[in-house]
Amino acid sequence: MDKGFFYSIFGGVFISMKKEIRNRVLQKLKQIPAEEKTFQESELSQKLFHSAVWKRAETVSLTLSLSHELNTAEIINQGLVEGKKLVIPRCQPANRTMTFYPFTDRSSLIRSSFGVLEPDPDVLTPVDPEEIDLIIVPGIAFTSSGQRIGHGGGYYDRFLAKHPDIETVSLVLQEQLVKEIPTEVHDINIKQIYQFKKESSS
Ligand SMILES: Nc1nc2c(c(=O)[nH]1)N(C=O)[C@@H](CNc1ccc(C(=O)N[C@@H](CCC(=O)O)C(=O)O)cc1)CN2
Ligand SMILES: Nc1ncnc2c1ncn2[C@@H]1O[C@H](COP(=O)(O)OP(=O)(O)OP(=O)(O)O)[C@@H](O)[C@H]1O
């Protein structure tokens, strides 16, 4: 069947299935006890720090997490300690693109309408995306094979479509892992998923 025809019929169904998974996992995320969340975050961050992609990367992109998301504070600290260049995105809602800027400390940040802290473009200079070795991709729900549902802006799918060679990793709390995610044509898989598994050291 012609792909365009297929998506015109089923696209809406996929989008509402994604919304349903997004809302269900968001509720779960908001209910994780703080201590449990910190424990999982710590384990996942350690997995990342021991990985080849992290060790190799000189420039790492990450986000300043919202309270329900995996807390990126430990990754930021470690990156700075190891002398990596950290970059964070600023969103352009008009065309749903992202521009990356260096992150050094918490000054030069402004809160976006979405609620996240973003770099202040009046103070900072953008980084060439070609410079980025590794992107820690945020998200709400993931499958172990790397499918992802984010906050619904399509920002990472758009960016990653243009930069297919950049390494991508997502750290996934147990509550964020789902069996299946309906795939849309534009969806880009995350190359490496580090998932928290209870009673497992893998
Ligand atoms: N901490 C953090 N920073 C991040 C992301 C993230 O997921 N987490 N992003 C990851 O991409 C980007 C921001 N993503 C955004 C995603 C959606 C909307 C937004 O306006 N959402 C609409 C609903 C969208 C729709 O359903 O069409 C809304 O909230 O009203 C804004 C920013 C960059 N920074
Ligand atoms: N490469 C692309 N080109 C055009 N439209 C896109 C592209 N990627 C995503 N979109 C559109 O953006 C919207 C949101 O996409 P989706 O639900 O996949 O976002 P998300 O991955 O959850 O969000 P985010 O990456 O911001 O966390 C959808 O309407 C989708 O059709």
Side-chain angles (χ1 to χ4, degrees):
M1 198 191 316
D2 165 53
K3 262 195 169 173
F5 174 74
F6 184 81
Y7 282 102
S8 67
I9 302 288
F10 293 109
V13 178
F14 284 174
I15 289 166
S16 63
M17 283 164 78
K18 274 187 160 182
K19 274 194 182 151
E20 193 273 321
I21 299 171
R22 181 182 290 125
N23 291 337
R24 182 159 43 83
V25 175
L26 256 179
Q27 289 316 310
K28 271 202 204 174
L29 276 177
K30 289 177 180 168
Q31 286 165 13
I32 310 176
E35 218 174 281
E36 168 67 21
K37 189 162 174 280
T38 309
F39 179 72
Q40 291 196 34
E41 284 162 351
S42 220
E43 296 266 307
L44 290 169
S45 301
Q46 288 304 321
K47 261 194 202 181
L48 173 70
F49 303 151
H50 288 100
S51 71
V53 277
W54 171 265
K55 287 181 184 167
R56 267 201 309 268
E58 288 174 13
T59 302
V60 178
S61 163
L62 38 72
T63 46
L64 302 176
S65 44
L66 298 166
S67 60
H68 63 269
E69 293 181 311
L70 177 123
N71 188 342
T72 52
E74 200 172 330
I75 309 173
I76 293 172
N77 288 339
Q78 184 71 15
L80 294 176
V81 165
E82 290 186 26
K84 294 190 191 294
K85 180 166 180 179
L86 303 181
V87 304
I88 54 171
R90 175 180 152 79
C91 293
Q92 280 89 37
N95 55 4
R96 303 237 162 172
T97 58
M98 291 189 289
T99 310
F100 292 84
Y101 292 79
F103 173 84
T104 47
D105 55 50
R106 293 203 165 252
S107 59
S108 320
L109 297 174
I110 41 178
R111 200 167 293 278
S112 76
S113 55
F114 178 58
V116 289
L117 287 169
E118 291 191 337
D120 182 349
D122 293 337
V123 180
L124 298 161
T125 312
V127 166
D128 179 354
E130 299 298 317
E131 224 192 280
I132 305 173
D133 301 307
L134 170 65
I135 304 186
I136 318 277
V137 183
I140 296 174
F142 300 86
T143 64
S144 54
S145 63
Q147 290 166 288
R148 162 183 174 276
I149 294 178
H151 281 100
Y155 284 100
Y156 277 90
D157 285 328
R158 277 190 189 79
F159 181 82
L160 295 174
K162 287 201 191 127
H163 303 279
D165 295 332
I166 303 182
E167 291 294 343
T168 51
V169 165
S170 290
L171 306 186
V172 179
L173 302 168
Q174 195 169 31
E175 290 74 5
Q176 293 181 282
L177 198 68
V178 299
K179 285 231 159 58
E180 278 174 331
I181 288 177
T183 317
E184 291 177 81
V185 258
H186 60 258
D187 286 334
I188 306 236
N189 277 22
I190 304 307
K191 293 180 187 170
Q192 293 197 42
I193 294 286
Y194 296 137
Q195 63 193 68
F196 180 87
K197 278 195 213 128
K198 251 185 201 149
E199 288 148 47
S200 156
S201 56
S202 70

